[in-house]
């Protein structure tokens, strides 16, 4: 009788372990899993995947000079919440709580249609083989690299798609445009990134793209609650931004005169006190960070370090093996 009871408990324990392993239940540990990903992951199962993705991205990039900025934002916003598992792509349903897409920081995220287009083409060649998480990682690399006509970094593959997407997890895990340096540093550290170096390098993504004026209105018109402007902004630049931002819905370039070129101009602007966001300006408030800003504004140093940082970010808390799933459509769970 005792032996039978013991065997039952052992079986029950094993069953619970198997069930938990099968679920997509993950508490983000801030761990990088580069070793669990593989550059040749689809070599035998979908050898044309990367070519298909690159072709579709090039078609969209030809028509949209901001594609790199759009896909970078999708990749960033996805990876910083629950890891790089494409949970940001999921649409809401009547049976779920609000999803990441519905969180306020993600309401202006664009480019989901491009990912869907890529997924459609990949599915025709290799049904339910290539994950949406891998598509996002590859498409982002290809969109940023488009102007260079060569890939700026290699993308290890093997990510799986998550089944959980919660709007409530977004704001606590995403860097904010109004964040100060210590807040940014703590967040990057909690994600297992190379803290200051990755923070300064990945902030360089602001060299492309645009922003709504509402994001910077307080910095321009009411910085301390007295109708003042952030004194860390160059006065002439601040005056120009105020003229452009008569309406919160107006848009401004994140990197003036270079918002469609992926280059080191962002760092040159920072040194001239022309960083658009408070989070940009905060990079100059720390000695080590400011030193890197000065380092990255010369030559190709930024591009080389950005590539390394993107590989690290792309491995944050990824699902692999039998975790999660490979979605048939990126916006829907299977």
């Amino acid at each position: 009788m005792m032996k039978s009871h013991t065997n039952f408990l052992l079986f029950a324990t094993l069953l619970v372990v198997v069930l938990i392993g099968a679920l997509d239940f993950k508490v983000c540990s801030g761990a990088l899993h580069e070793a669990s990903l593989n550059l040749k992951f689809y070599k035998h199962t979908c050898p044309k995947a990367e070519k298909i993705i690159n072709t579709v991205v090039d078609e969209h990039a030809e028509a949209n000079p901001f594609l790199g900025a759009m896909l970078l934002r999708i990749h960033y916003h996805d990876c910083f919440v629950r890891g790089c598992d494409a949970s940001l792509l999921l649409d809401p349903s009547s049976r779920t709580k609000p999803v990441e897409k519905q969180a306020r920081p993600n309401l202006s995220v664009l480019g989901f249609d491009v990912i869907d287009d890529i997924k459609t083409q990949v599915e025709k060649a290799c049904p339910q083989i290539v994950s949406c998480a891998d598509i996002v990682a590859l498409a982002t690399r290809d969109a940023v690299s488009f102007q260079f006509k060569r890939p700026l970094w290699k993308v290890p593959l093997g990510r799986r798609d998550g089944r959980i997407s919660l709007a409530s997890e977004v704001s606590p895990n995403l860097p904010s445009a109004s964040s100060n340096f210590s807040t940014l540093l703590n967040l990057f550290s909690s994600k297992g990134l190379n803290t200051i170096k990755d923070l300064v390098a990945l902030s360089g993504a602001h060299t492309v793209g645009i922003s709504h004026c509402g994001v910077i209105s307080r910095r321009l018109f009411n910085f301390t609650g007295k109708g003042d402007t952030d004194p860390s902004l160059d006065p002439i630049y601040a005056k120009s931004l105020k003229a452009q931002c008569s309406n919160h819905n107006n848009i401004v370039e994140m990197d003036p005169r270079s918002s469609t070129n992926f280059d080191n101009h962002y760092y040159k602007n920072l040194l001239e006190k022309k960083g658009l966001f408070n989070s940009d300006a905060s990079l100059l408030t720390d000695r080590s960070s400011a030193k890197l800003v000065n380092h990255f504004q010369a030559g190709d140093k930024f591009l080389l370090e950005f590539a390394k940082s993107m590989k690290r970010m792309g491995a944050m808390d990824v699902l692999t093996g039998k975790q999660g799933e490979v979605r048939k459509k990126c916006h829907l769970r299977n």
Side-chain angles (χ1 to χ4, degrees):
M1 184 69 176
M2 180 64 72
K3 183 177 180 180
S4 176
H5 181 66
T6 301
N7 287 340
F8 173 78
L9 288 177
L10 178 60
F11 172 77
T13 302
L14 288 172
L15 180 60
V16 170
V17 171
V18 170
L19 286 174
I20 290 177
L23 293 173
D24 178 26
F25 177 79
K26 178 178 68 173
V27 177
C28 293
S29 60
L32 304 185
H33 300 280
E34 292 177 87
S36 61
L37 302 176
N38 189 330
L39 287 171
K40 298 180 180 180
F41 188 80
Y42 298 112
K43 181 179 180 180
H44 301 294
T45 55
C46 192
K48 295 181 180 180
E50 293 192 48
K51 178 62 176 176
I52 294 171
I53 293 169
N54 181 255
T55 298
V56 178
V57 168
D58 280 0
E59 291 172 357
H60 282 276
E62 285 280 5
N64 184 355
F66 291 111
L67 184 67
M70 291 160 59
L71 297 191
L72 271 171
R73 196 172 182 210
I74 287 179
H75 199 22
Y76 274 39
H77 284 217
D78 180 53
C79 289
F80 270 82
V81 182
R82 301 195 68 80
C84 308
D85 66 348
S87 54
L88 172 60
L89 309 183
L90 287 171
D91 284 344
S93 74
S94 58
R95 296 176 295 173
T96 63
K97 295 179 180 179
V99 295
E100 291 174 34
K101 268 183 183 177
Q102 296 173 293
R104 186 173 181 179
N106 290 330
L107 294 179
S108 58
V109 173
L110 301 172
F112 296 118
D113 58 323
V114 177
I115 301 301
D116 287 340
D117 187 13
I118 295 170
K119 180 64 170 173
T120 298
Q121 299 306 317
V122 172
E123 284 293 297
K124 289 178 182 178
C126 316
Q128 215 169 342
I129 296 294
V130 182
S131 70
C132 298
D134 276 344
I135 287 175
V136 169
L138 284 166
T140 300
R141 189 272 311 273
D142 290 349
V144 172
S145 302
F146 177 73
Q147 73 180 74
F148 301 96
K149 304 305 178 187
R150 62 178 177 83
L152 291 183
W153 66 91
K154 294 181 179 179
V155 180
L157 304 167
R159 300 166 188 78
R160 302 268 290 182
D161 300 325
R163 298 188 183 98
I164 298 172
S165 182
L166 297 170
S168 60
E169 294 183 340
V170 174
S171 290
N173 285 289
L174 273 185
S176 165
S178 61
S179 295
N180 60 29
F181 183 79
S182 60
T183 299
L184 291 171
L185 193 64
N186 288 337
L187 180 58
F188 272 63
S189 179
S190 73
K191 301 299 179 183
L193 292 168
N194 191 2
T195 53
I196 293 182
K197 186 170 285 189
D198 284 332
L199 169 56
V200 179
L202 292 175
S203 293
H206 289 171
T207 190
V208 287
I210 54 179
S211 172
H212 284 94
C213 286
V215 179
I216 58 170
S217 61
R218 181 173 180 177
R219 193 175 185 215
L220 293 177
F221 300 108
N222 200 25
F223 187 61
T224 64
K226 299 178 181 179
D228 54 344
T229 302
D230 182 352
S232 70
L233 269 174
D234 173 78
I236 297 176
Y237 179 52
K239 184 178 181 180
S240 172
L241 288 175
K242 286 180 178 181
Q244 296 175 71
C245 290
S246 57
N247 186 302
H248 284 195
N249 293 321
N250 289 352
I251 57 175
V252 291
E253 292 180 293
M254 290 201 291
D255 185 0
R257 302 186 308 280
S258 184
S259 62
T260 60
N261 293 321
F262 199 84
D263 54 28
N264 60 4
H265 195 254
Y266 164 80
Y267 298 101
K268 296 177 181 179
N269 276 343
L270 283 189
L271 294 172
E272 295 175 1
K273 298 184 178 181
K274 295 178 182 178
L276 185 64
F277 304 128
N278 188 68
S279 59
D280 296 324
S282 76
L283 300 182
L284 297 179
T285 63
D286 174 84
R287 182 178 298 178
S288 297
S289 173
K291 187 176 180 179
L292 282 171
V293 168
N294 189 61
H295 179 71
F296 288 159
Q297 60 96 28
D300 291 332
K301 296 169 184 175
F302 160 58
L303 294 180
L304 295 172
E305 200 58 49
F306 183 81
K308 296 175 186 177
S309 293
M310 285 298 293
K311 286 181 67 177
R312 283 192 286 269
M313 189 195 77
M316 282 178 9
D317 283 306
V318 294
L319 298 171
T320 58
K322 295 183 178 180
Q323 296 173 310
E325 62 184 11
V326 175
R327 294 182 210 142
K328 298 175 184 177
K329 295 184 178 181
C330 289
H331 61 280
L332 298 172
R333 297 171 184 81
N334 290 343

